[in-house]
Amino acid sequence: MTTQNTESRMTAIVCHAPEDYRVEQVTKPRAGRNELVIRIAACGICASDCKCYTGAKMFWGGSSPWVKAPVIPGHEFFGYVEEAGEGAAEHFGVQVGDRVIAEQIVPCGKCRYCKSGQYWMCEVHNIFGFQREVADGGMAEYMRIPPTALVHKIPLGVSLEDAAIIEPLSCAIHTVNRGDVQLDDVVVIAGAGPLGLMMTQVAHLKTPKKLVVIDLIDERLELAKQYGADVVINPTKDNALDVIKSLTDGYGCDVYIETTGAPIGVTQGLDLIRKLGRFVEFSVFGADATVDWSIIGDRKELDVRGAHLGPYCYPIAIDLLARGLVTSKGIVTHGFSLEEWDEAIKVANSTDSIKVLLKPAGEH
């Protein structure tokens, strides 16, 4: 089924350069064969969006920068199918009007990783909102979903705020799974931002022996307690190493999940983790982390694991939200229109917020 749209222009945030993001009127996308156009209900502002906005070098520097401006940013989006191009309804298994989300990566389907099922490590690595070779992102009224995108339907019972955190929740699930949490583990999550708080909820569902959350903001630590943390640590007030040793007979934690985005989170983790422990690195950093690398091998023989995106976790995230086992309540703190972009990015890039949403359709 294909619907016809009479409007040809839409409002969007367009990234031109660091700190040069503009509210513009741009051409509304149309759906080609096996493509969708969705009307955006909400799009979250991610920590990586904030780092991109301020010009962090991993996004703009080097021979292969992530950001290829001009581009409409935004990868934490969901919306309603507005238009289905020829064959798209069958291709994606959706109909016009369905609430849907597409995974943040658009796999090429041809590289060795895609062919082996490891699509989240696609060599081409097109991600919505960073380069428009495949498609622009979700900080707009509408966006195009290309044929190779991975699309999932969202039940109507899931609230707007919950639906808006499906992408980061999927990342949180993948990260916790990478930690291989066992029932007798002491698990430390460093960082109680949006991802850390979602990881706390997911890790709590794994029922480890002790779940510890570390952050500098007491209000976020209180939220972590509500989400299932047994112990919270504010390093400005507590000696994290002493606390962790007191919980582990002096050995250190079994699993350390780094999601602070600050280099100190790495060095802290190498101190807190026990020998033969599992160190899971999720963060995108704005500066280099310098550590004594010999700790990993010669002194502790650590199992260091990266966690990237949320592969195979979107259906799990949707199910957990639908069953009320994970919530956005307390995490989603602010909502803005596209026209309020300047204020939205300012709030998102501060400790006054946890998760900020752009709501192009003005939905609540």
Side-chain angles (χ1 to χ4, degrees):
M1 177 179 179
T2 302
T3 60
Q4 297 297 320
N5 297 312
T6 57
E7 299 293 329
S8 60
R9 305 291 285 178
M10 68 172 184
T11 303
I13 309 300
V14 181
C15 162
H16 290 274
E19 299 189 6
D20 184 7
Y21 285 50
R22 309 171 197 169
V23 181
E24 296 182 359
Q25 292 297 306
V26 301
T27 301
K28 181 179 176 181
R30 296 299 306 270
R33 178 173 176 77
N34 288 343
E35 293 183 342
L36 303 173
V37 169
I38 66 172
R39 174 172 58 85
I40 299 297
C43 184
I45 299 178
C46 176
S48 64
D49 292 317
C50 293
K51 289 186 173 74
C52 177
Y53 177 79
T54 57
K57 65 180 180 179
M58 81 283 290
F59 294 104
W60 296 96
S63 58
S64 300
W66 279 28
V67 180
K68 297 178 182 176
V71 65
I72 298 171
H75 56 275
E76 295 185 1
F77 58 83
F78 85 95
Y80 298 86
V81 177
E82 176 84 2
E83 178 187 359
E86 180 185 354
E90 297 78 13
H91 179 69
F92 288 115
V94 301
Q95 299 293 331
V96 170
D98 284 347
R99 286 209 307 176
V100 299
I101 185 171
E103 297 194 22
Q104 69 278 72
I105 191 166
V106 184
C108 73
K110 299 177 181 179
C111 70
R112 63 180 293 179
Y113 302 109
C114 288
K115 287 182 177 179
S116 66
Q118 298 164 319
Y119 67 89
W120 69 102
M121 296 307 298
C122 172
E123 188 69 11
V124 180
H125 222 73
N126 284 314
I127 295 180
F128 286 113
F130 290 99
Q131 54 294 114
R132 60 174 28 157
E133 286 92 339
V134 173
D136 279 308
M139 293 186 188
E141 292 182 278
Y142 299 89
M143 69 178 290
R144 180 178 62 87
I145 306 297
T148 57
L150 303 172
V151 173
H152 306 275
K153 287 199 279 189
I154 304 171
L156 292 178
V158 177
S159 71
L160 180 143
E161 289 77 16
D162 281 355
I165 70 164
I166 290 171
E167 187 275 341
L169 177 56
S170 299
C171 295
I173 293 167
H174 178 55
T175 301
V176 172
N177 284 343
R178 289 287 284 160
D180 192 22
V181 175
Q182 302 297 310
L183 296 174
D184 60 347
D185 281 341
V186 173
V187 178
V188 173
I189 297 174
L195 267 298
L197 290 170
M198 291 180 215
M199 291 175 195
T200 300
Q201 296 184 65
V202 174
H204 176 63
L205 294 175
K206 298 279 190 177
T207 64
K209 182 179 179 180
K210 290 289 183 184
L211 177 57
V212 183
V213 176
I214 302 176
D215 200 86
L216 300 174
I217 301 174
D218 287 334
E219 291 80 4
R220 296 187 180 189
L221 293 176
E222 284 301 314
L223 268 179
K225 286 183 182 179
Q226 295 177 30
Y227 296 149
D230 299 297
V231 178
V232 296
I233 299 171
N234 185 329
T236 65
K237 303 175 182 179
D238 311 304
N239 186 306
L241 184 59
D242 288 346
V243 175
I244 297 303
K245 284 191 173 184
S246 72
L247 296 173
T248 60
D249 295 325
Y251 287 103
C253 63
D254 304 282
V255 180
Y256 182 88
I257 297 175
E258 200 293 308
T259 184
T260 67
I264 188 63
V266 178
T267 53
Q268 171 184 258
L270 294 176
D271 286 337
L272 300 185
I273 199 167
R274 67 167 172 84
K275 296 176 182 178
L276 303 174
R278 300 181 296 285
F279 189 118
V280 184
E281 180 54 65
F282 173 80
S283 292
V284 175
F285 292 89
D288 292 341
T290 302
V291 301
D292 179 359
W293 199 245
S294 61
I295 295 172
I296 295 168
D298 184 59
R299 288 163 55 188
K300 291 191 175 182
E301 196 174 326
L302 298 176
D303 190 351
V304 179
R305 305 177 180 185
H308 181 57
L309 305 186
Y312 300 108
C313 293
Y314 279 69
I316 300 171
I318 293 168
D319 177 64
L320 291 178
L321 290 165
R323 290 193 285 153
L325 295 175
V326 176
T327 181
S328 63
K329 187 176 181 181
I331 293 176
V332 174
T333 56
H334 294 76
F336 294 93
S337 68
L338 293 173
E339 289 78 7
E340 296 172 311
W341 163 256
D342 289 340
E343 180 66 15
I345 188 63
K346 178 181 177 182
V347 172
N349 208 19
S350 74
T351 57
D352 295 333
S353 68
I354 298 180
K355 172 59 64 178
V356 174
L357 302 182
L358 293 173
K359 300 178 180 180
E363 298 191 24
H364 300 283

